[in-house]
């Protein structure tokens, strides 16, 4: 099958999505579409190079939103029926809000719109699916209560992207998620993978519910649901 997989800027379900994407790429031709935020978040979690290495060649491309500009010429393939399936996972509440309101001003939302016009089946895996609280994983974080304000901050001095401001914060837009800073700090002041609890907003849940009403879109609960469909 020729499959397009869109990734938006969510950390929740990101690792799980990439795990399935890796397996899917072994059996199918997969083109990866990254929103601007999706590219940034993949780097924050140290997953960008893994995803990039899955691509290469026709129908195994890496499509970046910043390269497509405002007209998103790549998405024309969907209206032509070039792909057999479009998967968007993880899908942020922002992306879903635009989809259910017919807005197609990003690479991913435009792909979904064009897929609908080309009758290409679309699977969407939202991060905001049910009301209540859920746990999600943080990227690298500077724990200020543990930071000793060392005269020479080893993690900062060794960071190739200068992403760490000692005693202040980690600039996640510069961080590429290598995780070296976590092992370099002897005081444990740099963490990664810490679980936090976030609350789902009612408006986001309502928008997700509207997805079920859109022709050609199938909503899945979790990336692993694809195992029962495509493997």
């Amino acid at each position: 099958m020729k499959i397009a997989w869109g990734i938006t800027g969510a950390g929740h379900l990101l690792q799980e999505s990439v795990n399935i994407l890796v397996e899917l790429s072994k059996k199918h031709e997969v083109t990866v579409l990254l929103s601007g935020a999706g590219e940034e978040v993949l780097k924050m979690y140290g997953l960008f190079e893994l995803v990039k290495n899955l691509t290469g060649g026709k129908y195994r491309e890496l499509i970046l939103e910043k390269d497509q500009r405002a007209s998103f010429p790549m998405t024309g393939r969907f209206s032509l029926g070039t792909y057999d399936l479009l998967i968007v996972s993880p899908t942020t509440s922002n992306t879903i809000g635009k989809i259910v309101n017919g807005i197609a001003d990003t690479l991913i939302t435009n792909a979904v719109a064009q897929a609908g016009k080309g009758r290409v089946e679309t699977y969407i895996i939202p991060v905001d699916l049910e009301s209540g609280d859920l746990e999600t994983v943080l990227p690298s974080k500077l724990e200020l209560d543990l930071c000793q304000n060392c005269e020479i901050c080893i993690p900062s001095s060794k960071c190739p992207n200068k992403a760490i401001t000692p005693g202040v914060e980690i600039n996640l837009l510069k961080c590429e998620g290598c995780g070296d800073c976590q092992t370099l700090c002897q005081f444990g002041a740099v963490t990664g993978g810490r679980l936090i609890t976030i609350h789902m907003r009612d408006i986001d849940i309502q928008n997700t519910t509207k997805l079920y009403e859109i022709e050609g879109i199938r909503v899945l609960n979790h990336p692993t649901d694809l195992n029962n469909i495509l493997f």
Side-chain angles (χ1 to χ4, degrees):
M1 293 177 66
K2 292 184 177 65
I3 299 173
W5 187 304
I7 296 176
T8 65
H12 186 58
L13 297 182
L14 182 62
Q15 181 66 66
E16 296 89 337
S17 297
V18 171
N19 291 344
I20 299 297
L21 174 60
V22 169
E23 294 304 313
L24 200 62
S25 298
K26 295 177 182 178
K27 298 184 179 182
H28 303 280
E29 294 178 295
V30 181
T31 293
V32 179
L33 289 70
L34 298 185
S35 72
E39 179 183 353
E40 291 173 357
V41 173
L42 277 174
K43 290 177 179 177
M44 292 175 194
Y45 284 84
L47 295 170
F48 179 78
E49 290 301 321
L50 172 59
V51 171
K52 181 180 178 181
N53 290 337
L54 297 175
T55 62
K58 188 69 171 177
Y59 301 123
R60 291 185 179 273
E61 297 144 287
L62 179 65
I63 309 294
L64 304 180
E65 183 170 56
K66 64 187 180 185
D67 295 333
Q68 289 288 296
R69 306 187 70 174
S71 59
F72 310 111
M74 178 272 168
T75 63
R77 297 180 189 176
F78 292 101
S79 56
L80 296 173
T82 302
Y83 293 101
D84 302 300
L85 177 66
L86 170 62
I87 300 168
V88 184
S89 179
T91 314
T92 61
S93 58
N94 180 60
T95 297
I96 290 173
K98 289 187 174 186
I99 291 172
V100 299
N101 285 286
I103 300 172
D105 63 351
T106 67
L107 174 62
I108 304 301
T109 57
N110 200 274
V112 172
Q114 294 301 323
K117 294 177 180 180
R119 296 187 179 276
V120 176
E121 188 172 15
T122 300
Y123 295 162
I124 292 181
I125 301 173
V127 295
D128 297 326
L129 188 63
E130 298 178 348
S131 299
D133 297 335
L134 62 79
E135 289 188 331
T136 190
V137 179
L138 286 177
S140 294
K141 182 179 184 298
L142 184 59
E143 305 289 351
L144 296 180
D145 56 331
L146 296 177
C147 180
Q148 302 299 305
N149 293 301
C150 301
E151 184 175 349
I152 297 178
C153 175
I154 301 301
S156 176
S157 65
K158 297 290 185 180
C159 178
N161 297 310
K162 306 301 181 185
I164 303 173
T165 302
V168 180
E169 66 178 357
I170 296 177
N171 185 337
L172 292 178
L173 292 179
K174 294 181 178 180
C175 176
E176 294 191 352
C178 67
D180 289 348
C181 53
Q182 298 169 32
T183 57
L184 287 170
C185 180
Q186 61 178 313
F187 303 104
V190 184
T191 61
R194 185 161 67 89
L195 288 174
I196 62 168
T197 300
I198 58 175
H199 182 71
M200 301 295 97
R201 301 189 307 168
D202 289 342
I203 189 171
D204 297 327
I205 303 304
Q206 292 166 13
N207 283 335
T208 296
T209 301
K210 294 176 183 178
L211 279 178
Y212 291 88
E213 304 170 4
I214 300 178
E215 181 183 2
I217 289 180
R218 180 175 177 182
V219 181
L220 303 180
N221 294 336
H222 195 274
T224 54
D225 290 345
L226 292 166
N227 287 328
N228 300 323
I229 301 171
L230 299 175
F231 295 98

